[in-house]
Structures are given as C-alpha cells and as structure tokens.
Amino acid sequence: MNILITGSKGQLGSEFRELAPQYPQHQFFLTDVDELDITHSEKVYKFMKSNKIECVVNCAGYTQVDQAEDDKPGATLLNSTATKYLAEASSRVGALLIHISTDYVFEGKNFKPYTESDTANPKSIYGKTKLDGEIEVMFNAKRAIIIRTSWLYSSFGNNFVKTILEKGKTEKELKVIYDQIGTPTYARDLAKVILEIIPKVPSKVRGEIYNFSNEGVASWYDFAKAILEIKGLNCKASPILTKEFPQTALRPQYSVLNKNRIKKEYGVEIPYWRDSLKECLAKL
Ligand SMILES: NC(=O)c1ccc[n+]([C@@H]2O[C@H](COP(=O)([O-])OP(=O)(O)OC[C@H]3O[C@@H](n4cnc5c(N)ncnc54)[C@H](OP(=O)(O)O)[C@@H]3O)[C@@H](O)[C@H]2O)c1
C-alpha cells in the first residue's frame, strides 16, 4: 500500500518514520509541513494523486493546547480546515483516511471510561477544533476512521515525559496535578496499532470513531512519579490540585477512554501504560 503520513516529524509521525522499515510491504510517504503543508487543499490533492496514495494517516495537528486559546484561527486552520482538505482529497483519490483525535473533545465530568458514543463537549479551543475536525472527516471522507487518543508521549518531540526527566535531574521536588485523571499513551503503541488495522479496515466505513490509549488509569502525578522511579532520579513528586497550577486552557478532569470497540473489532492487544513507559524510557 502507498501510505501518506502527514506531520511525520511530530511525536506520532516520528514513530511511523522509525517503524516504516519493518513494513516493507508498504511504501511510506513521510511528509511534514515543509514537504506537504496540509493547509493547501490543491497541494494535498495533487500529492495524493501523483503518488497514488491509498491510505493517509493524519499525524499533523495544532497540539499546543494553551496557545490555541489565543490562536483560534491557527488551531481551526490545522485541526479542522486542513482535516477537511485531507478528507476531500482522500475521497477524490479513493484513499482510506485515518485521522487522529483527542480525549479533550470530552468535558471530563464522567466517572467511568468514555465510550465512542458518549457526548462530546469540549471546554478548550483545542478540543473544539479537534471535534470540528472529526465532523469534517465524517462529512467529507468516503472511507475513514477517527482514532481518539490521550496523553501522548514518545521518545521524539517535546512532551510531559521529557519535561519531567529534565526537571527531575536538577530539581529536588516537582509539584504535579493529581486531580486530572486519564491514561498515558506511548505514541509507538498507537502507530503499531494503526499499521496493524490498516489492512483490516472494511471498504465501507464512514468516519467511525475508535478510542485508543494504553491500558490503566493515572493522574499526572502518578505518571510523573513513575517516570522518576523508573529512571531512579533523586527527585520527589508532590501532588497538587489543578487550581494550584493554573493553565490557560481548561483540561478534562477525567478522560479515561473505553477501548472495548477497537479491541473487539480489530483484535488488538493493548499494553499497560507503565510497561510502555518503561519501554520508552529505555530509549531516553
Ligand atoms: N500530544 C498529545 O498529548 C495528544 C493527545 C491526544 C491526541 N493527540 C493528537 O494526536 C495527533 C498527533 O499528535 P502529536 O503529539 O504527535 O503532534 P506533534 O508532535 O505536535 O506533531 C504534529 C506535527 O504536525 C506538523 N505540522 C504543523 N503544521 C503542519 C502543516 N500545516 N502541514 C503538515 N504538518 C504540519 C508539526 O510541525 P511543527 O512542529 O513544525 O509545527 C509537527 O511535526 C494530533 O492530531 C493530536 O491532536 C495528541
């Protein structure tokens, strides 16, 4: 299959870049904004047509959650409008679109893991523009699936794991939020699952949503504590409340995802978050 990866220098995209040689049956077109700026609809279509793209995995996104609060046009352009262009171009060339979305589409007031059919009610600009992107996929792509994931990290790019590692080396104590609950997700696990399901996606699938994160549940405090412990850093993690660490954008207080659908329909096995964290930390 000819597979286009957009945003391939980001966290998730870089995992595809690294995994690609293990999948010689596919030809990968690994692009980022310099090679293929997805905010240009005609360029997207021409690229896909001339390279006979059969599947697009959209790893590009406006992911700076706080910055998005002051830059709604920027976040909308990348997370919603450009997603529409990818959906339209995929339909025109007959390609499957796999689009990545987020747990931040939920308000976060649940007390049990969110299913795909739970009502989305984003409280941040980032979450709203990602939900708009999902809607664009549903309306404009003839063959597409949307994968909602959460708390993504990788050995590539900037993320929570790297911040904690860096600070943990120089500081004696780190105060970390414990009243936001979710599940960390190793981007490598997500990339592997996407590559596993691509050949199995039915010919008729129109914007179906699937949740994917690692297994288990944690607060940011638990996540930080695990990072420090696994790396043996002499730094204490102390739990604090969200209100003690004000951020520009509102985050869901609870955004654990129920992954029964992807497990049942595609037979995927999902690693426990701490096991995947160990695997990632071994590379750092
Ligand atoms: N990070 C998380 O915690 C998280 C959680 C849930 C869901 N997600 C979703 O998962 C997906 C992947 O996230 P990620 O963390 O891997 O993102 P990321 O590391 O921020 O990577 C996004 C990539 O897209 C590139 N990009 C920016 N503008 C572009 C354009 N116009 N055309 C093509 N590429 C462009 C970025 O380049 P520059 O760096 O040069 O801008 C970057 O390389 C996103 O859809 C995100 O919303 C992420």
Side-chain angles (χ1 to χ4, degrees), residues 12 98-106 114-122 126-127 130-135 138 145-152 183 185 190 193-194 207-214 255-259 261-262 270:
L12 180 60
I98 301 203
H99 177 67
I100 314 301
S101 193
T102 173
D103 57 331
Y104 281 22
V105 298
F106 293 116
Y114 280 98
T115 66
E116 290 81 355
S117 54
D118 279 328
T119 306
N121 184 20
Y126 169 72
K130 290 297 291 183
L131 182 61
D132 289 344
E134 292 185 2
I135 293 164
M138 288 175 198
I145 64 172
I146 296 159
I147 300 182
R148 287 181 180 150
T149 191
S150 64
W151 298 24
L152 217 53
T183 312
T185 305
L190 175 56
V193 160
I194 291 172
E208 292 289 327
I209 301 174
Y210 292 86
N211 290 338
F212 180 87
S213 68
N214 278 125
S255 63
V256 178
L257 299 172
N258 177 323
K259 299 165 289 286
R261 186 176 190 197
I262 199 165
I270 308 181

